[in-house]
mmCIF file of all heavy atoms in Angstrom:
data_model
loop_
_atom_site.group_PDB
_atom_site.id
_atom_site.type_symbol
_atom_site.label_atom_id
_atom_site.label_comp_id
_atom_site.label_asym_id
_atom_site.label_seq_id
_atom_site.Cartn_x
_atom_site.Cartn_y
_atom_site.Cartn_z
ATOM 1 N N THR R 150 -5.114 4.640 88.386
ATOM 2 C CA THR R 150 -5.112 5.969 87.789
ATOM 3 C C THR R 150 -5.333 6.972 88.918
ATOM 4 O O THR R 150 -5.234 6.606 90.086
ATOM 5 C CB THR R 150 -6.192 6.116 86.698
ATOM 6 O OG1 THR R 150 -7.483 6.130 87.306
ATOM 7 C CG2 THR R 150 -6.097 4.999 85.668
ATOM 8 N N LEU R 151 -5.662 8.190 88.582
ATOM 9 C CA LEU R 151 -5.874 9.203 89.614
ATOM 10 C C LEU R 151 -7.133 8.938 90.434
ATOM 11 O O LEU R 151 -7.185 9.270 91.621
ATOM 12 C CB LEU R 151 -5.951 10.597 88.983
ATOM 13 C CG LEU R 151 -4.720 11.021 88.180
ATOM 14 C CD1 LEU R 151 -4.973 12.360 87.497
ATOM 15 C CD2 LEU R 151 -3.497 11.089 89.068
ATOM 16 N N GLN R 152 -8.170 8.364 89.798
ATOM 17 C CA GLN R 152 -9.445 8.190 90.484
ATOM 18 C C GLN R 152 -9.996 6.765 90.480
ATOM 19 O O GLN R 152 -11.045 6.519 91.079
ATOM 20 C CB GLN R 152 -10.495 9.101 89.842
ATOM 21 C CG GLN R 152 -10.170 10.570 89.955
ATOM 22 C CD GLN R 152 -11.280 11.419 89.357
ATOM 23 O OE1 GLN R 152 -12.449 11.126 89.535
ATOM 24 N NE2 GLN R 152 -10.907 12.471 88.668
ATOM 25 N N THR R 153 -9.325 5.848 89.817
ATOM 26 C CA THR R 153 -9.867 4.498 89.715
ATOM 27 C C THR R 153 -8.755 3.462 89.615
ATOM 28 O O THR R 153 -7.592 3.813 89.478
ATOM 29 C CB THR R 153 -10.810 4.391 88.486
ATOM 30 O OG1 THR R 153 -11.539 3.172 88.575
ATOM 31 C CG2 THR R 153 -10.033 4.438 87.191
ATOM 32 N N SER R 174 -2.467 1.300 78.353
ATOM 33 C CA SER R 174 -2.833 2.357 77.404
ATOM 34 C C SER R 174 -4.095 3.069 77.869
ATOM 35 O O SER R 174 -4.166 4.302 77.858
ATOM 36 C CB SER R 174 -3.058 1.783 76.005
ATOM 37 O OG SER R 174 -1.865 1.296 75.468
ATOM 38 N N LEU R 175 -5.092 2.291 78.294
ATOM 39 C CA LEU R 175 -6.319 2.892 78.817
ATOM 40 C C LEU R 175 -6.030 3.684 80.087
ATOM 41 O O LEU R 175 -6.527 4.797 80.265
ATOM 42 C CB LEU R 175 -7.375 1.816 79.083
ATOM 43 C CG LEU R 175 -8.692 2.305 79.688
ATOM 44 C CD1 LEU R 175 -9.351 3.371 78.810
ATOM 45 C CD2 LEU R 175 -9.634 1.126 79.912
ATOM 46 N N GLY R 176 -5.213 3.132 80.964
ATOM 47 C CA GLY R 176 -4.852 3.829 82.198
ATOM 48 C C GLY R 176 -4.137 5.136 81.930
ATOM 49 O O GLY R 176 -4.448 6.165 82.537
ATOM 50 N N ASP R 177 -3.189 5.130 81.002
ATOM 51 C CA ASP R 177 -2.470 6.355 80.650
ATOM 52 C C ASP R 177 -3.419 7.389 80.055
ATOM 53 O O ASP R 177 -3.315 8.586 80.341
ATOM 54 C CB ASP R 177 -1.329 6.067 79.677
ATOM 55 C CG ASP R 177 -0.178 5.324 80.329
ATOM 56 O OD1 ASP R 177 -0.054 5.376 81.574
ATOM 57 O OD2 ASP R 177 0.602 4.684 79.589
ATOM 58 N N TYR R 178 -4.369 6.934 79.233
ATOM 59 C CA TYR R 178 -5.367 7.850 78.670
ATOM 60 C C TYR R 178 -6.201 8.475 79.790
ATOM 61 O O TYR R 178 -6.424 9.695 79.808
ATOM 62 C CB TYR R 178 -6.269 7.124 77.674
ATOM 63 C CG TYR R 178 -7.448 7.962 77.265
ATOM 64 C CD1 TYR R 178 -7.295 9.020 76.372
ATOM 65 C CD2 TYR R 178 -8.713 7.716 77.778
ATOM 66 C CE1 TYR R 178 -8.374 9.819 76.014
ATOM 67 C CE2 TYR R 178 -9.790 8.496 77.424
ATOM 68 C CZ TYR R 178 -9.615 9.544 76.536
ATOM 69 O OH TYR R 178 -10.698 10.320 76.193
ATOM 70 N N LEU R 179 -6.686 7.651 80.722
ATOM 71 C CA LEU R 179 -7.489 8.182 81.830
ATOM 72 C C LEU R 179 -6.705 9.173 82.672
ATOM 73 O O LEU R 179 -7.224 10.217 83.082
ATOM 74 C CB LEU R 179 -8.026 7.031 82.691
ATOM 75 C CG LEU R 179 -9.071 6.137 82.021
ATOM 76 C CD1 LEU R 179 -9.389 4.946 82.925
ATOM 77 C CD2 LEU R 179 -10.321 6.921 81.694
ATOM 78 N N ILE R 180 -5.426 8.875 82.912
ATOM 79 C CA ILE R 180 -4.580 9.806 83.676
ATOM 80 C C ILE R 180 -4.447 11.118 82.913
ATOM 81 O O ILE R 180 -4.519 12.209 83.500
ATOM 82 C CB ILE R 180 -3.210 9.169 83.979
ATOM 83 C CG1 ILE R 180 -3.367 8.037 84.992
ATOM 84 C CG2 ILE R 180 -2.221 10.217 84.482
ATOM 85 C CD1 ILE R 180 -2.141 7.185 85.184
ATOM 86 N N SER R 181 -4.283 11.053 81.587
ATOM 87 C CA SER R 181 -4.143 12.283 80.788
ATOM 88 C C SER R 181 -5.427 13.118 80.813
ATOM 89 O O SER R 181 -5.401 14.328 80.598
ATOM 90 C CB SER R 181 -3.768 11.943 79.347
ATOM 91 O OG SER R 181 -4.880 11.445 78.621
ATOM 92 N N MET R 182 -6.567 12.462 81.099
ATOM 93 C CA MET R 182 -7.849 13.157 81.193
ATOM 94 C C MET R 182 -8.184 13.516 82.652
ATOM 95 O O MET R 182 -9.307 13.870 82.972
ATOM 96 C CB MET R 182 -8.970 12.279 80.613
ATOM 97 C CG MET R 182 -8.757 11.898 79.150
ATOM 98 S SD MET R 182 -8.578 13.297 78.038
ATOM 99 C CE MET R 182 -10.202 13.965 78.067
ATOM 100 N N SER R 183 -7.179 13.417 83.536
ATOM 101 C CA SER R 183 -7.325 13.701 84.974
ATOM 102 C C SER R 183 -8.331 12.803 85.646
ATOM 103 O O SER R 183 -9.036 13.194 86.574
ATOM 104 C CB SER R 183 -7.693 15.169 85.201
ATOM 105 O OG SER R 183 -6.676 15.995 84.708
ATOM 106 N N TYR R 184 -8.409 11.590 85.201
ATOM 107 C CA TYR R 184 -9.309 10.611 85.827
ATOM 108 C C TYR R 184 -8.495 9.506 86.423
ATOM 109 O O TYR R 184 -8.083 8.599 86.264
ATOM 110 C CB TYR R 184 -10.330 10.056 84.825
ATOM 111 C CG TYR R 184 -11.372 9.201 85.483
ATOM 112 C CD1 TYR R 184 -12.425 9.778 86.178
ATOM 113 C CD2 TYR R 184 -11.309 7.827 85.434
ATOM 114 C CE1 TYR R 184 -13.392 9.002 86.795
ATOM 115 C CE2 TYR R 184 -12.266 7.035 86.038
ATOM 116 C CZ TYR R 184 -13.308 7.622 86.720
ATOM 117 O OH TYR R 184 -14.240 6.844 87.339
#
Side-chain angles (χ1 to χ4, degrees):
T150 70
L151 302 175
Q152 298 183 40
T153 192
S174 293
L175 178 57
D177 289 339
Y178 170 75
L179 292 173
I180 290 170
S181 75
M182 301 303 291
S183 299
Y184 188 78

